[in-house]
């Protein structure tokens, strides 16, 4: 009995010196089990082995039974969109993605080249993956490349950017109509609507996601 007690004492003493560990929930980039209550715009989940980004969703409450959630997804590999309806509490798996900071360097044919900000490794991305983001790319711009199974599936530009108005119609004197807008081509190549009082050569701040004018920017 004394021998058993001594053995327990030795184990307890040794355990006291072992490092303690805290179990943390993984970030969404590492593949986490979630349900409909965790869905939000911009979240990337894995469906049938492919990454899908949540574009928007709506919740329909019913008088009887559980609520239903309708979700519109974009396939980040194929580019197509789908819309599915799920019962409240249905499970998903977030896609195992990795985001790395890169700098846009140049375009060659159908490929766009980005340099890893830490390793300086160059990555070529097909124009189909770049998609509409091409409108905002400027040489030297810092972006995020999203990887899924070692392949780039998305290019994310900053949500806001400062660009020069390269071309727009001149402001008409005396035109004080509220809400008057006109199309303008920006230095990055994108075309958006801007307030009528703005002139060619001015610098403006733009919401790249909404493709909308925000405010004048200091030169």
């Amino acid at each position: 009995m004394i021998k058993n007690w001594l053995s327990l004492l030795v184990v307890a003493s040794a355990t006291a010196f072992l490092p303690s560990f805290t179990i943390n929930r993984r970030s969404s980039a590492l593949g986490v089990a979630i349900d409909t209550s965790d869905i939000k715009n911009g979240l990337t989940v894995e469906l049938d082995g492919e990454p899908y980004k949540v574009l928007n969703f709506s919740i329909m409450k019913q008088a009887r039974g559980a609520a239903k959630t309708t979700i519109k997804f974009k396939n980040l590999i194929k580019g197509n969109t789908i819309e599915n309806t799920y019962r409240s509490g249905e499970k998903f798996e977030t896609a195992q993605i990795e985001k790395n900071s890169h700098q846009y360097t140049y375009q060659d044919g159908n490929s766009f080249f980005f340099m890893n900000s830490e390793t300086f490794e160059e990555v070529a991305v097909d124009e189909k993956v770049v998609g509409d983001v091409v409108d905002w790319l400027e040489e030297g711009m810092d972006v995020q490349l999203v990887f899924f199974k070692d392949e780039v599936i998305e290019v994310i530009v900053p949500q806001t950017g400062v660009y020069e108005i390269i071309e727009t119609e001149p402001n008409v004197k005396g035109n004080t109509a509220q809400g008057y807008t006109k199309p303008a081509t920006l230095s990055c190549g994108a075309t958006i609507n801007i307030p009528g009082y703005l002139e060619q050569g001015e610098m403006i701040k733009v919401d790249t996601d909404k493709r909308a004018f925000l405010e004048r920017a200091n030169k």
Side-chain angles (χ1 to χ4, degrees), residues 46-111:
E46 186 172 335
L47 302 175
D48 299 324
E50 295 186 333
Y52 283 81
K53 185 176 183 179
V54 177
L55 299 180
N56 55 67
F57 67 97
S58 61
I59 301 173
M60 182 176 66
K61 295 182 179 179
Q62 303 181 103
R64 294 181 180 180
K68 291 185 178 181
T69 303
T70 299
I71 309 172
K72 186 175 183 179
F73 298 101
K74 178 182 179 181
N75 186 309
L76 294 179
I77 293 178
K78 300 175 181 176
N80 62 300
T81 60
I82 62 173
E83 189 171 282
N84 293 336
T85 299
Y86 302 90
R87 294 186 304 273
S88 178
E90 281 201 58
K91 303 292 185 181
F92 299 88
E93 184 81 10
T94 57
Q96 297 186 35
I97 60 174
E98 182 180 347
K99 294 181 181 180
N100 291 325
S101 297
H102 285 71
Q103 188 177 80
Y104 172 59
T105 50
Y106 66 97
Q107 178 185 2
D108 185 10
N110 297 331
S111 296

Side-chain angles (χ1 to χ4, degrees), residues 190-206:
T191 299
I192 67 169
N193 285 327
I194 61 172
Y197 59 80
L198 292 172
E199 301 280 5
Q200 183 174 316
E202 290 195 71
M203 304 294 290
I204 61 173
K205 190 175 183 179
V206 175

Side-chain angles (χ1 to χ4, degrees), residues 155-168:
V155 178
I156 302 176
V157 298
Q159 188 171 351
T160 61
V162 174
Y163 301 95
E164 181 182 355
I165 300 173
I166 297 299
E167 185 179 348
T168 191

